[in-house]
Amino acid sequence: MSDDLVFYTNPMSRARLVRWMLEEVGRPYRTEVLDYGTTMKAPDYLAINPMGKVPAITHRGKVVTEGAAICAYLADAFPEAGLAPPPADRADYYRWLFFAAGPLDAAIVDKALDRSIPPERAAMVGYSGLEAVVDAIAVAIEGKAFIAADHFTAADCYVGACLSFHMRFASIERKPVFTAYVERLEARPAYLRSIEIDGAMPPPKAPV
């Protein structure tokens, strides 16, 4: 294990996608498992992430939070893993990585909260509703093995994990293009290792 790279997580959270990304990177890291309502809200962790949420990483003393930012950071910090396209070819990579973290996530949260955007205020939000956002992702993936390059990148890790999570909970439609894409990604050895690691952890304590 390495204190150079530390991963703060709870196995029953979206931090699982960062576990997958770390396994793709293939470098030693130390895991700190936090419980909801206790260690996740303790002063030591709030000094790392004042939001009291996971995931987070520290790398050589620097803190990175937010799943998409962590994926992008790790791809750049460990270029030998080949998880980002060359800088000149990153248009689609940045576009879909942050589209999934922004419009897709926001539209899904709106649906979950039964919150609608009044038509006269539609210009205030960065998306046109869940159906439009999901269709945009479907078009981006259609006919391609990967979303942003001719090989797996951090964008696939983030987008694939989001689609898998939200299809599992029926937050978005289980489109054939999505299921084929996710099944292909979830056959990767790094993904399978990440699931095995998180699955071996004891159940987290309930919030208090």
Side-chain angles (χ1 to χ4, degrees), residues 112-205:
L113 296 177
D114 197 24
R115 183 170 60 194
S116 60
I117 307 300
E120 67 274 14
R121 295 193 175 184
M124 296 177 64
V125 300
Y127 54 94
S128 301
L130 183 58
E131 183 177 356
V133 170
V134 168
D135 286 347
I137 291 278
V139 170
I141 297 170
E142 186 69 51
K144 297 191 295 185
F146 305 103
I147 198 167
D150 60 358
H151 61 92
F152 179 89
T153 68
D156 293 297
C157 183
Y158 192 88
V159 173
C162 287
L163 293 178
S164 177
F165 179 86
H166 291 302
M167 286 193 296
R168 187 176 303 118
F169 290 96
S171 304
I172 61 173
E173 180 184 351
R174 190 176 286 272
K175 291 177 177 286
V177 67
F178 291 162
T179 57
Y181 174 69
V182 167
E183 286 171 2
R184 184 163 55 250
L185 299 183
E186 291 185 348
R188 295 179 62 82
Y191 174 81
L192 297 174
R193 285 196 304 272
S194 75
I195 292 300
E196 182 178 5
I197 294 167
D198 282 333
M201 291 183 175
K205 294 178 182 177

